[in-house]
């Protein structure tokens, strides 16, 4: 396959997928991602990697010129260093996870009666909030994790609906 004949779609592919990655990554950073944003970001990363390899092969001489100068080499060394540092856990994290993860997971595994008590509402009100959020419970002994699965993002969104005060200050 002659890559030069593929030029009309390789560079636009990289531009398009990079744009999608930048947008979904920004949404994830600000915790505004919804629907398939996170999955699209994860899977499009593979498409971006393939597109970049094709783009580099298509522009191999220019790539070599960038590596021939000191600035180009330093940018790549700095990028590799940042990548290496990204694997070091931060002090505030437990087991490499942010500190809020353990309490959220514990609450998501607790029976609905316990969650209602923590939310400061009776179980009937909490189950009504779950139903309004599209989550149907069969028993007060179920947990949020039982109802929505292991996806922590979905658990957090569901807990957010349970703890919502609908614009009023709930008595606690």
């Amino acid at each position: 396959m002659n890559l030069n004949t593929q030029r009309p779609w390789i560079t636009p592919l990289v531009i398009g997928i990079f744009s999608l990655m930048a947008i979904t990554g920004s949404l994830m950073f600000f915790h505004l991602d919804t629907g398939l944003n996170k999955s699209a970001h994860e899977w499009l990363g593979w498409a971006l990697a393939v597109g970049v390899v094709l783009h580099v092969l298509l522009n191999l001489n220019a790539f070599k010129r960038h590596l021939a100068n000191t600035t180009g080499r330093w940018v790549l060394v700095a990028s590799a260093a940042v990548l290496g540092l990204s694997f070091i856990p931060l002090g505030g994290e437990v087991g490499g996870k942010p500190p809020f993860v353990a309490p959220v997971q514990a609450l998501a595994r607790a029976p609905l009666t316990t969650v209602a008590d923590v939310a400061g509402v009776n179980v009937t009100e909490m189950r009504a909030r779950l139903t309004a959020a599209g989550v149907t419970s069969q028993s007060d002994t179920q947990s949020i994790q039982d109802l929505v699965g292991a996806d922590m993002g979905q658990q957090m969104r569901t807990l957010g609906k349970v703890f919502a005060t609908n614009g009023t200050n709930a008595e606690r």
Side-chain angles (χ1 to χ4, degrees):
M1 169 168 79
N2 181 356
L3 284 179
N4 281 322
T5 62
Q6 306 304 314
R7 185 177 296 273
W9 67 267
I10 291 176
T11 300
L13 173 75
V14 173
I15 293 168
I17 293 178
F18 172 80
S19 299
L20 291 168
M21 294 290 290
I23 292 167
T24 56
S26 297
L27 290 169
M28 289 166 52
F29 180 83
F30 291 108
H31 304 287
L32 299 172
D33 55 308
T34 59
L36 294 175
N37 291 152
K38 184 175 186 280
S39 294
H41 185 82
E42 291 171 345
W43 286 99
L44 287 171
W46 291 107
L48 182 61
V50 170
V52 167
V53 167
L54 291 172
H55 185 70
V56 167
L57 291 173
L58 187 61
N59 299 286
L60 195 54
N61 290 332
F63 183 71
K64 288 178 184 177
R65 278 195 307 275
H66 286 297
L67 294 180
N69 72 53
T70 305
T71 304
R73 285 193 300 268
W74 274 109
V75 167
L76 290 179
V77 167
S79 297
V82 169
L83 175 62
L85 292 172
S86 74
F87 289 96
I88 298 173
L90 297 176
E93 297 179 350
V94 179
K97 296 180 181 177
F100 70 85
V101 169
V104 168
Q105 288 176 331
L107 194 56
R109 288 190 303 264
L112 295 179
T113 53
T114 302
V115 176
D117 190 39
V118 172
V121 297
N122 63 45
V123 178
T124 305
E125 171 63 21
M126 189 197 62
R127 290 181 76 177
R129 291 178 183 186
L130 286 171
T131 301
V135 177
T136 305
S137 62
Q138 306 300 322
S139 158
D140 293 347
T141 60
Q142 289 179 294
S143 68
I144 298 294
Q145 184 175 0
D146 293 337
L147 299 174
V148 300
D151 177 19
M152 189 169 165
Q154 185 62 37
Q155 291 172 3
M156 289 175 57
R157 284 186 288 279
T158 303
L159 286 168
K161 300 289 185 186
V162 168
F163 281 81
T165 59
N166 297 329
T168 63
N169 291 328
E171 300 264 340
R172 301 224 183 230

